[in-house]
Amino acid sequence: MCAHSIHLDFAYCLVLSSHKCSTSTTTDNATASSEEELKRFNPLEIQMLSSSLHDQVFHGETETYDAEMVKKCQEHLEVHNLRSKSGTVLPEVNFELPPLLGSNIDEHFTMIAEQQSRPYFEKAQMLADLTLSAIPDEWNYSPGWTKYVYSDEGLVTSSVDAPQEDALIFDVEVCMNEGPFSCYCSGCLSNGMVLLG
């Protein structure tokens, strides 16, 4: 059994306990139903993912346990009086999961995280690779945002309603004698230009 299977099953079942211990599927005789429900438990008497979900997540891989490690875990649970605690056995869960991205559950969530964070990572990388324009010798302290652009004619300032670039690094300064609100903000835009608000 792969490490991913152990970790996911254990995380799924930490709050569960059972009456039986088996490394294979066992029969739950405690149900009121006339049909026997097959349930899975690990050697620590923790209920595992249902067979249906386990097959979908781990592609039918079977569990193998290190006897010495199991013994150490059992002893650790006994020290804290946590072994053989009876509790509710959950019914089998059977539904179709979306297909995994990648070859295992670890790759699945890694790929999802990469997809969702990629736009922000690309903008952060763009900021890291910037060549900043020179710091202006004079600042315009008019209310609102002022953009500082260097051209062939020198420094050109223009008033803007708000930063329009995709990414912005900025720092806010406050004057506590006047109140807790910012008195100005200086920043660097994703195109390397300087902004003051």
Side-chain angles (χ1 to χ4, degrees):
M1 177 183 180
C2 65
H4 307 299
S5 176
I6 296 173
H7 292 162
L8 182 67
D9 275 355
F10 189 73
Y12 176 77
C13 303
L14 265 180
V15 296
L16 307 176
S17 57
S18 64
H19 333 297
K20 296 184 177 182
C21 172
S22 173
T23 58
S24 61
T25 305
T26 62
T27 303
D28 180 14
N29 296 319
T31 63
S33 171
S34 59
E35 297 182 0
E36 294 183 339
E37 296 185 43
L38 298 180
K39 307 193 188 307
R40 299 173 58 253
F41 299 91
N42 70 7
L44 301 181
E45 304 178 13
I46 297 174
Q47 186 177 2
M48 309 296 275
L49 283 175
S50 65
S51 297
S52 171
L53 295 182
H54 185 275
D55 289 344
Q56 294 180 70
V57 173
F58 300 109
H59 308 296
E61 293 185 23
T62 57
E63 296 85 350
T64 57
Y65 299 99
D66 182 291
E68 186 63 28
M69 183 59 67
V70 170
K71 182 179 179 182
K72 288 182 179 179
C73 292
Q74 291 172 338
E75 292 173 350
H76 182 76
L77 291 174
E78 287 177 352
V79 168
H80 297 281
N81 195 29
L82 295 174
R83 190 178 176 193
S84 301
K85 294 286 186 179
S86 61
T88 303
V89 178
L90 297 184
E92 288 286 270
V93 177
N94 184 7
F95 60 89
E96 186 175 350
L97 294 171
L100 287 180
L101 302 177
S103 60
N104 56 53
I105 193 72
D106 187 29
E107 291 182 5
H108 174 76
F109 286 108
T110 297
M111 293 175 69
I112 290 177
E114 289 176 349
Q115 290 175 2
Q116 294 183 353
S117 63
R118 184 174 296 114
Y120 305 98
F121 174 81
E122 290 175 349
K123 288 178 175 56
Q125 188 63 52
M126 176 180 59
L127 289 172
D129 295 338
L130 276 180
T131 299
L132 301 179
S133 60
I135 298 176
D137 294 328
E138 296 183 6
W139 297 97
N140 182 353
Y141 291 103
S142 300
W145 292 97
T146 302
K147 183 184 291 187
Y148 296 79
V149 180
Y150 284 91
S151 65
D152 295 337
E153 301 176 356
L155 179 63
V156 178
T157 61
S158 59
S159 177
V160 294
D161 292 334
Q164 299 174 342
E165 284 68 22
D166 290 337
L168 169 68
I169 302 173
F170 67 95
D171 178 40
V172 174
E173 300 295 337
V174 297
C175 182
M176 298 307 297
N177 289 335
E178 296 297 328
F181 305 105
S182 59
C183 56
Y184 73 89
C185 169
S186 60
C188 173
L189 304 175
S190 55
N191 55 12
M193 299 176 182
V194 177
L195 194 70
L196 183 72

